[in-house]
Amino acid sequence: MFDDTREFIEALRASGDLVEVEKEVSWDLELGAISRLACEKDGPAIWFKRIADYPDDITVLVNPMATWRRVAMAFGLAPDASIKDIYREYEKREGKLIPPVTVERGPCHEVVRRGSEVDLFDLPAPMLHEGDGGRYLGTWDLVVSRDPASQWVNWGTYRFMLYDSSHLTGFPRPTSHLGKMFQDYYVPRGEPMPIAIVIGADPLSHFAASATFHLGGDEAGLAGGLRGEPVDLVRCRTSDLLVPACAEIVIEGEVLPDRVGLEGPYGEYPGYRTGEMGNGILFRATAITHRKHPIFTVDATGYKDDSSTVTALSGALAIQKRLERHGVPVVDVYMPPEGAVHLAIVAVQYGGKEVARNILETLTSRRALISKIFMVEADIDIFDMGKVLHAFSTKCHPAHGVHVIHYEGRANTLTPCYSQGERVAQKGATVLFDCTWPGEWSREWETPVKATFDSIYSESVRRKVLERWRDYGFDK
Ligand SMILES: Cc1cc2nc3c(=O)[nH]c(=O)nc-3n(C[C@H](O)[C@H](O)[C@H](O)COP(=O)(O)O)c2cc1C
């Protein structure tokens, strides 16, 4: 398994999944535009070697896991592993947490700058999209925080924008674990919240931080489970938080309980800039530590970025488990990258009104991030969107097959189709399209017979055709 960003880069280079840009590029939109286009073309990860205004010994790696090939490789699978295989592998590994190990020293402390030596502008934070409120320093990051009441340590991926040379502003959603911890513990007590913003850890530690994992869940243990071996953690220099020792860069500091800073707007993961500049949390840096020749990691946020694979994959499996717990006859769940973590395909043994209602209530009772669901029967390959679209187009009754649930106070404020008013009230809705045959229809004479190669022909006809396929002139 990869122990750091550098080993992963080597593997990406060897498999042809990396472009190394030697030409100098500007941090001001050029890097962002190149990286956006690469994402939208399902292109490779990009390693920018020369950033204008910055010394050549700091380089930038963008979109490390924005394609299934790169996710497969991060898991140690063959780059062409199927999406289904990647899902099954994650499912297998996420059940076995392996606790981290604390070590005395780590490469992330090769260079240490504290107090007045800290200048956040030393890091090549890019201006990623036109219209962003500022340069984003935290995008592909892993933010460590701790709840003093329970000693629970949370890892999450949260964006951070440059505010001045020693401050960042951030936007953890109120329903996020970092947001909740800050509001529930630190703000009422007026205490600053120590956090560490880790940039460029090993790929599966980033995966664990971005993953949908339950409140109180141990993401460092999850990272170990995904890796099949523990993550080495080392103590920060200005707090007692623990960070991955292999990290390229760590920004240590605290979120101030009584201050806010203007943050955003930003070209967000659904692929739109939806908000205005608003009040974000204000972070004060106390130290920057890094490896020699640090590699600064970036997610060029938007359509088909790293969240569309990583967050969607872990989200789909979290949904599946919740549905199982609530008695839904669920078989499998998939969230396609094009759905921007807003769309889930749910395969069930049987559908119908009651199952639809159960799914909608279960998935929207707390934070309602998903707003569209296709419910299909188990014979549909949910990882093949062509098949899903076919089931939707042919089986979903336009009047009786559409189910909607409305809610307030827990909608996804980044969902582009919501109005500003809905966003403020966190008011939203989730629609489920039932693409299953009604249970009350007779399977003998009432239910349409599927007329595809796999379903309409006898075994002997299919075998004959497959055996002679090349002889007919195909696949030569
Ligand atoms: C690139 C990227 C950026 C993200 N930025 C944010 C963010 O700024 N705020 C937020 O609340 N969630 C953000 N997320 C989603 C969280 O990382 C994700 O929900 C994760 O599960 C951590 O969530 P937790 O708060 O449930 O622990 C981002 C995810 C990715 C992949």
Side-chain angles (χ1 to χ4, degrees), residues 93-101 218-231:
R93 296 190 201 176
E94 69 121 30
K96 290 187 235 142
L97 301 191
I98 300 182
V101 168
D218 166 21
E219 278 109 353
L222 172 63
L226 298 181
R227 286 162 44 81
E229 56 189 351
V231 182

Side-chain angles (χ1 to χ4, degrees), residues 139 154 157-159 171 173 176-177 209-211 299 307 311 367:
T139 53
N154 177 51
T157 304
Y158 308 105
R159 77 190 200 208
F171 173 73
R173 280 180 280 206
S176 72
H177 295 165
S210 308
D299 171 68
S307 70
T311 313
R367 38 181 186 176

Side-chain angles (χ1 to χ4, degrees), residues 243-440:
V243 290
C246 70
E248 295 291 333
I249 300 165
V250 180
I251 304 166
E252 302 177 7
E254 52 195 20
V255 181
L256 306 175
D258 47 0
R259 298 266 312 271
V260 289
L262 287 176
E263 198 269 350
Y266 185 55
E268 280 138 359
Y269 76 91
Y272 291 84
R273 183 175 73 234
T274 37
E276 299 292 319
M277 188 170 257
N279 282 335
I281 58 170
L282 189 68
F283 165 86
R284 187 178 71 86
T286 51
I288 299 179
T289 77
H290 62 83
R291 293 176 72 152
K292 289 184 184 145
H293 312 293
I295 302 169
F296 182 87
T297 51
V298 169
D299 171 68
T301 313
Y303 180 59
K304 295 214 245 178
D305 72 348
D306 298 84
S307 70
S308 73
T309 48
V310 169
T311 313
L313 157 49
S314 56
L317 288 166
I319 286 176
Q320 184 169 345
K321 284 188 179 164
R322 271 195 97 193
L323 294 179
E324 280 165 2
R325 282 200 301 276
H326 284 79
V328 172
V330 59
V331 177
D332 220 341
V333 179
Y334 174 52
M335 293 176 72
E338 295 80 0
V341 205
H342 276 63
L343 168 68
I345 321 297
V346 178
V348 288
Q349 285 159 20
Y350 56 89
K353 219 187 230 166
E354 273 174 34
V355 176
R357 195 85 342 237
N358 192 356
I359 293 177
L360 285 172
E361 282 169 7
T362 302
L363 297 187
T364 60
S365 62
R366 287 187 306 186
R367 38 181 186 176
L369 296 179
I370 308 293
S371 50
K372 279 102 199 163
I373 298 166
F374 286 144
M375 177 168 74
V376 300
E377 270 150 339
D379 66 324
I380 306 294
D381 177 0
I382 58 170
F383 298 96
D384 180 342
M385 282 309 289
K387 299 272 166 50
V388 172
L389 208 51
H390 181 245
F392 167 63
S393 310
T394 54
K395 294 170 81 171
C396 179
H397 192 289
H400 317 308
V402 182
H403 305 268
V404 181
I405 191 166
H406 298 265
Y407 38 81
E408 196 162 341
R410 54 185 189 278
N412 183 349
T413 52
L414 298 183
T415 297
C417 62
Y418 294 151
S419 68
Q420 289 300 338
E422 285 174 316
R423 257 174 249 285
V424 171
Q426 292 186 52
K427 196 171 164 185
T430 296
V431 58
L432 181 148
F433 299 99
D434 184 350
C435 314
T436 68
W437 298 125
E440 63 275 16

